Amino acid sequence: MASKTMPARMTLRAQLLALQALILCVVTIAAGLAAGAFQERAIRDSYRDRMQAVAQSIASLPTIREAFRDADPSSTIQPVAEVIREASDLAYVVVADAHGIRYSHPNPALIGKKVSTDPSIPLSGEVYVGTQTGTLGTSWRVKVPVRSDAGSVIGTVSVGILESELRADFIGNLAWLIGAMLAAALIGLLGAAWVTSVIRARIHRLEPEQITALVKSHETTMHRLSEGVIVVDEDGVITLVNDAGADLVGRDADTLTGAAAAEALPPELVKILDEGEPSGRPVILGPRVVVARSTGSTVDGARAEATLLLRDHTELHDVVRRVDAADAIIAFRQRAGVPKGLSTETLDRVVRALAARDDASATEVAETLSMSRVSARRYLEYLASVGRASRSLDYSTKGRPGSRYRLIDAPSPG
């Protein structure tokens, strides 16, 4: 069966760079699109203002208005319109009468013919701004009315720029916009790489799984260790307390964190914290016996972070006291006579039974006295421990060798 290879995980640095680059690209593209839209609108507004000014100026020229009364208006209007068109860098300047008959056009062949688009809006006295398709193609245009001296509408002036020329202007301005976007993206990526290196340095170049392991270890220290841990910074402020440490000093962990050690901790612990105690020193904290160790708060004469370790030895001390008390009772009983659990009467019977033989095993004594082998052995062992009987090994039995006992002060048989 073919083994499956796990895909390599991206390092934290690669993840940070990728995320920042993605955000940077999205923001840069969005900003570029918005800037492009604003640029396109600005170009159109600029041409609109120019076209409207040109159209209004032509419509208000006395020469143009007077030419409307001539027998051949185009002979006067066409030269003026062409000069203004070329000077204004427009696609066309078309002057027409109230019936839509052209008096000027970039293509002289179209003079005297009706305009190709609807002139009703300027003929109604309003200004038209929009995109329409005429004889030269689709154009962004402005149409204004031409009024007589009496104020009546006698014709129209239409000026415009081809949409293809607008696009060419926009594309020409787009080059610097794209360059600015690329420069911004490059600077942003360099900044992202710098931010990533700063973040990595702050977290000691650890990967996410390593950080997770440290967090779990910290949680273990804070909540699962039976040994109390209290960390104090160089200013004497408690920065870390686990549950066991707070319980041993009789305070809540939340109230201890951020408090001054000299005020929050018992004087004995403050002394150990300042002086240092690597081997441990017993301290009485209420009903508890605690062994405290500390790294000390001074290193080479300067204040430094210190750690205080507390271990509860109350149960151990109780066990030691109980063992000492039990040893004292046993010693007293040994001095007073038969140990606890043995009776004098039964001991005398065992002595008599043993005296009746040269030697005997615990089983033989138990059968003679009708008692358990375990009880008989306890009495025989007691006699051996106080020097009243000797014990030897019997290798004649199967398996482990047995023990045989001989009474030392037994009378000789006679």
Side-chain angles (χ1 to χ4, degrees):
M1 181 176 178
S3 60
K4 296 182 178 179
T5 59
M6 295 295 292
R9 293 184 178 180
M10 290 180 65
T11 63
L12 181 60
R13 179 174 183 175
Q15 293 180 43
L16 289 173
L17 277 175
L19 288 173
Q20 291 180 89
L22 176 62
I23 294 172
L24 182 64
C25 289
V26 170
V27 172
T28 302
I29 292 173
L33 292 175
F38 287 136
Q39 182 68 21
E40 194 269 345
R41 176 53 57 185
I43 292 174
R44 284 186 175 273
D45 290 344
S46 174
Y47 272 106
R48 182 199 62 197
D49 294 340
R50 188 200 309 178
M51 291 187 300
Q52 193 164 347
V54 170
Q56 294 285 7
S57 65
I58 293 173
S60 62
L61 284 174
T63 304
I64 299 297
R65 289 190 297 179
E66 292 173 359
F68 271 76
R69 295 193 294 267
D70 294 344
D72 185 14
S74 62
S75 61
T76 302
I77 295 174
Q78 171 70 1
V80 175
E82 284 300 294
V83 169
I84 294 175
R85 179 184 69 82
E86 293 175 359
S88 303
D89 195 21
L90 296 174
Y92 64 87
V93 173
V94 175
V95 180
D97 64 8
H99 301 289
I101 302 302
R102 301 185 186 96
Y103 291 156
S104 68
H105 195 279
N107 183 2
L110 297 177
I111 296 174
K113 295 182 180 180
K114 193 171 182 178
V115 295
S116 59
T117 57
D118 183 16
S120 60
I121 293 178
L123 289 176
S124 66
E126 301 294 330
V127 176
Y128 171 81
V129 178
T131 300
Q132 291 180 326
T133 301
T135 57
L136 298 179
T138 304
S139 61
W140 175 246
R141 62 185 63 190
V142 172
K143 298 177 181 180
V144 299
V146 178
R147 297 180 185 274
S148 65
D149 294 337
S152 60
V153 177
I154 60 175
T156 63
V157 176
S158 177
V159 300
I161 182 78
L162 294 176
E163 287 288 345
S164 59
E165 294 184 18
L166 284 174
R167 284 194 295 271
D169 283 352
F170 173 69
I171 293 173
N173 291 326
L174 200 61
W176 72 265
L177 181 60
I178 294 175
M181 290 172 59
L182 292 176
L186 179 59
I187 294 173
L189 287 175
L190 293 175
W194 176 76
V195 170
T196 300
S197 64
V198 170
I199 293 175
R200 291 271 292 157
R202 292 288 180 87
I203 61 174
H204 304 287
R205 304 190 179 279
L206 296 176
E207 293 299 322
E209 58 273 14
Q210 295 173 312
I211 297 174
T212 301
L214 286 177
V215 170
K216 289 182 178 179
S217 176
H218 179 268
E219 288 297 317
T220 299
T221 302
M222 292 295 291
H223 303 293
R224 298 181 186 177
L225 283 183
S226 60
E227 189 174 56
V229 179
I230 299 176
V231 179
V232 179
D233 64 15
E234 59 273 11
D235 297 323
V237 177
I238 298 174
T239 57
L240 176 65
V241 183
N242 69 348
D243 295 342
D247 181 62
L248 289 174
V249 299
R251 296 282 298 275
D252 186 72
D254 293 335
T255 60
L256 283 174
T257 304
E263 299 175 359
L265 300 179
E268 300 91 340
L269 296 183
V270 175
K271 184 177 181 181
I272 294 174
L273 194 62
D274 290 337
E275 296 178 354
E277 184 64 48
S279 59
R281 184 188 307 175
V283 177
I284 305 298
L285 297 178
R288 294 176 174 176
V289 179
V290 176
V291 174
R293 291 182 293 139
S294 172
T295 57
S297 59
T298 303
V299 177
D300 297 330
R303 297 285 297 179
E305 184 180 78
T307 301
L308 182 66
L309 301 179
L310 305 174
R311 177 169 293 179
D312 190 358
H313 279 213
T314 304
E315 293 183 0
L316 179 61
H317 278 259
D318 289 344
V319 170
V320 171
R321 286 199 299 269
R322 290 173 186 172
V323 170
D324 290 343
D327 289 343
I329 293 172
I330 292 172
F332 174 78
R333 286 180 175 172
Q334 287 179 345
R335 291 195 300 268
V338 179
K340 181 180 179 180
L342 303 181
S343 68
T344 305
E345 294 80 3
T346 305
L347 182 63
D348 291 341
R349 292 177 62 201
V350 171
V351 170
R352 287 196 296 271
L354 191 59
R357 301 167 178 263
D358 289 337
D359 59 6
S361 66
T363 302
E364 293 170 347
V365 173
E367 291 175 351
T368 302
L369 300 178
S370 299
M371 61 190 301
S372 69
R373 185 181 65 82
V374 174
S375 297
R377 188 176 179 212
R378 287 184 61 196
Y379 282 96
L380 292 171
E381 286 292 330
Y382 170 71
L383 292 173
S385 65
V386 298
R388 294 186 61 188
S390 62
R391 180 176 58 241
S392 61
L393 295 177
D394 182 10
Y395 293 96
S396 63
T397 59
K398 294 181 180 181
R400 293 178 56 189
S403 296
R404 301 192 68 82
Y405 302 88
R406 177 191 297 272
L407 192 66
I408 293 178
D409 54 357
S412 301

